[in-house]
Amino acid sequence: MPEKSAVEAAETLIAKILFVMGGLLLINAVFLAVTTNMHHGHIFQGIVAVGLIVYGIFFLRIPRKVHFMVGGLALVPIAFVAFLAIYGNSGRVSFDEDVVIVLGAGLNGEQVGTHLARRLDTAIDYLNQNQGAIVVVTGGLGATQTITEALAMERYLIARGIHPDRIIQEDQSTTTYENLVFAKQILTDHFDVDFRVVLVSNDFHMFRSITMARQIGLDVTPLGASTPPLTLGVNYLREIAAIVHFWIFGA
């Protein structure tokens, strides 16, 4: 039996890599769906994972020109994810801003979840370096929650040394857009003059959040918090869908 050509060997390797990648993404999506709050990001990742598995199984039977087309199409979401990651980690705060707004996220019971904890830790680092700034914690009562996100966030900050007098709760919102609109209303009443804002969220979420904030007239600088590695796929897929929805339908 003749040996495989270098091209055939490479194609076989690519097929195996696609199959393994799909399997790992599917396992990750199922694990996160069971252990965290279920959202459509898990579904998107599951669909992508199954697609990779099927593509890997039939890879050697598909014409090469189709592979080039698929590869070209795949570059679009890959480039978008790269842009979101770079944007979300490129904030340049000056540490003389007036206020930090921390966007809400899901709770585990009455405790902040992993993503929200990273946002709050990022805000704490900033507040410790800018003692003159206040912080607005945002988020109302979710359907399955017993306390508001804002209250859980305030408790977290106080437990880590942020004085209660520096914390303002915005506890009525249920979406990112409402987080920002209601926070702006509170801050407009609080300050007699214009104010500058540091906006804190996870890196994948910063582009959409900053875009919304500037649309409603907030003078904002982004400060992205890191995203747990195991949830990168789920969250970036979810965010791409959310951005497309935002572009089409607005907030």
Side-chain angles (χ1 to χ4, degrees):
M1 182 179 295
E3 293 184 1
K4 291 182 177 180
S5 69
V7 173
E8 290 173 329
E11 289 178 339
T12 301
L13 178 60
I14 292 172
K16 292 178 179 178
I17 291 172
L18 290 170
F19 182 83
V20 172
M21 285 179 57
L24 292 175
L25 282 173
L26 185 58
I27 292 170
N28 177 251
V30 172
F31 173 77
L32 292 174
V34 172
T35 59
T36 63
N37 294 325
M38 180 70 177
H39 56 67
H40 55 259
H42 301 109
I43 298 172
F44 293 151
Q45 181 168 320
I47 292 171
V48 171
V50 171
L52 286 174
I53 292 171
V54 173
Y55 192 33
I57 291 173
F58 294 101
F59 187 86
L60 298 178
R61 304 180 193 179
I62 298 173
R64 287 174 184 167
K65 63 181 181 180
V66 175
H67 296 323
F68 285 113
M69 292 173 59
V70 171
L73 291 174
L75 289 177
V76 176
I78 290 171
F80 200 6
V81 166
F83 166 76
L84 293 179
I86 293 169
Y87 187 95
N89 289 282
S90 60
R92 293 291 182 269
V93 296
S94 58
F95 295 101
D96 60 359
E97 292 86 1
D98 303 295
V99 59
V100 178
I101 297 176
V102 186
L103 298 179
L107 304 180
N108 294 326
E110 294 190 356
Q111 306 299 315
V112 302
T114 303
H115 292 82
L116 187 50
R118 294 201 177 199
R119 299 180 189 186
L120 291 166
D121 289 341
T122 298
I124 290 168
D125 288 342
Y126 176 89
L127 292 166
N128 286 336
Q129 295 182 68
N130 181 3
Q131 294 291 329
I134 63 172
V135 56
V136 178
V137 289
T138 65
L141 189 65
T144 61
Q145 296 170 351
T146 56
I147 64 171
T148 64
E149 292 173 4
L151 177 57
M153 295 162 74
E154 180 181 54
R155 290 175 177 175
Y156 187 96
L157 292 175
I158 291 172
R160 286 155 183 80
I162 303 301
H163 196 281
D165 289 347
R166 300 179 69 188
I167 305 171
I168 299 174
Q169 286 191 44
E170 180 289 296
D171 58 4
Q172 300 300 311
S173 59
T174 59
T175 66
T176 297
Y177 184 75
E178 289 182 352
N179 287 165
L180 294 165
V181 169
F182 296 163
K184 181 186 178 184
Q185 291 173 352
I186 291 171
L187 291 170
T188 300
D189 292 338
H190 181 85
F191 289 98
D192 295 328
V193 294
D194 292 339
F195 52 89
R196 292 179 299 153
V197 176
V198 172
L199 186 61
V200 177
S201 190
N202 296 100
D203 47 19
F204 66 86
H205 192 225
M206 287 308 310
F207 172 74
R208 181 164 57 99
S209 303
I210 290 294
T211 302
M212 287 182 177
R214 289 174 177 163
Q215 281 185 353
I216 64 172
L218 282 173
D219 179 7
V220 289
T221 300
L223 182 56
S226 62
T227 301
L230 283 177
T231 69
L232 284 172
V234 162
N235 284 301
Y236 274 96
L237 287 170
R238 178 189 187 188
E239 188 62 18
I240 287 173
I243 290 172
V244 172
H245 183 277
F246 171 63
W247 283 342
I248 296 173
F249 300 105

